[in-house]
Amino acid sequence: MRELLVVLDKVDRVVPLVAEGSRLGVVRPGSPLAAEDLRTQPHRISARAWTALTESVEFLRAARGVCADGGDLRVVRALVRGAVENACCGVWLLGASRAERLADAASEVAVERSALVRRAGELAPAVGAELAVAAWRACDGLSPAVDGVLVRAEVVDQVQPGIDLASVAESVRPVLAAAAVGLMVLGRGLELFKARSRVVLPGVS
């Protein structure tokens, strides 16, 4: 758990960026994101994306708190999953084209979460689709983990032939890997928000 706490402590670097009054969350008139907000009123894309990113930070902070208090790893795992999902949602909203988002919305009532996570991974080159999906699935308690099984069972006694008593322990490694991926996707989301919320003058990158 100590290694996991070291990873989760990194969320402190992001907290000031999303704190109330942060200039990073300001969408400047004339920016690409401001133009898109006008087309999506009253449900502004910028507000939805910013909410997803800030909630990802809060999930990570909550996970860090539980971990620091020596709490249940299952709770930490659920919180990390929430952080990954929200970070991916923010990246998808900011990185996918409007036509792509409209096509996804038209095809289903809501975008399939696994598809959204995969696309967000594609939009975060340092992560990639496969790692994003693997990290997300590592926290659902059912799918294969990032670097091995999520739980392991050790037989401690035999009640009678064919019936064993097992001690089940969760592995912290998949949760650690998922937290690291969540932080990377979150970082990409904040980069996209910053880039799309500022005014780019002709000939200036």
Side-chain angles (χ1 to χ4, degrees):
M1 291 286 276
R2 184 176 299 175
E3 290 180 89
L4 176 57
L5 186 57
V6 169
V7 172
L8 291 171
D9 276 343
K10 294 179 181 178
V11 73
D12 280 343
R13 303 174 188 175
V14 184
V15 171
L17 300 178
V18 300
E20 187 174 352
S22 168
R23 293 189 61 80
L24 182 61
V26 176
V27 179
R28 292 159 181 79
S31 67
L33 202 47
E36 189 158 3
D37 280 348
L38 290 174
R39 292 195 296 266
T40 58
Q41 290 286 7
H43 307 293
R44 294 176 297 146
I45 287 293
S46 64
R48 293 175 60 195
W50 187 250
T51 296
L53 295 174
T54 54
E55 286 186 355
S56 178
V57 173
E58 291 307 312
F59 270 113
L60 288 169
R61 291 182 67 194
R64 193 262 304 275
V66 174
C67 188
D69 291 340
D72 194 327
L73 182 58
R74 290 172 296 181
V75 177
V76 178
R77 185 184 69 201
L79 291 168
V80 169
R81 180 182 172 93
V84 172
E85 282 189 1
N86 277 279
C88 286
C89 181
V91 168
W92 180 77
L93 286 168
L94 295 165
S97 67
R98 184 167 182 265
E100 180 182 340
R101 292 197 310 270
L102 288 174
D104 286 337
S107 63
E108 297 185 78
V109 175
V111 180
E112 173 63 34
R113 288 187 180 184
S114 61
L116 185 150
V117 170
R118 177 174 293 279
R119 181 64 178 130
E122 294 172 350
L123 294 166
V127 177
E130 297 305 321
L131 184 56
V133 172
W136 176 69
R137 287 181 174 167
C139 291
D140 67 9
L142 298 174
S143 302
V146 173
D147 60 351
V149 294
L150 185 61
V151 295
R152 62 182 186 276
E154 179 183 354
V155 175
V156 295
D157 196 6
Q158 188 175 67
V159 178
Q160 63 185 51
I163 302 179
D164 297 327
L165 289 179
S167 173
V168 178
E170 288 195 277
S171 171
V172 72
R173 289 178 300 168
V175 184
L176 188 155
V181 169
L183 282 164
M184 292 172 68
V185 177
L186 174 60
R188 176 58 176 160
L190 293 172
E191 288 176 358
L192 285 169
F193 197 98
K194 180 179 180 179
R196 299 202 63 216
S197 63
R198 65 188 180 117
V199 180
V200 179
L201 300 176
V204 180
S205 58

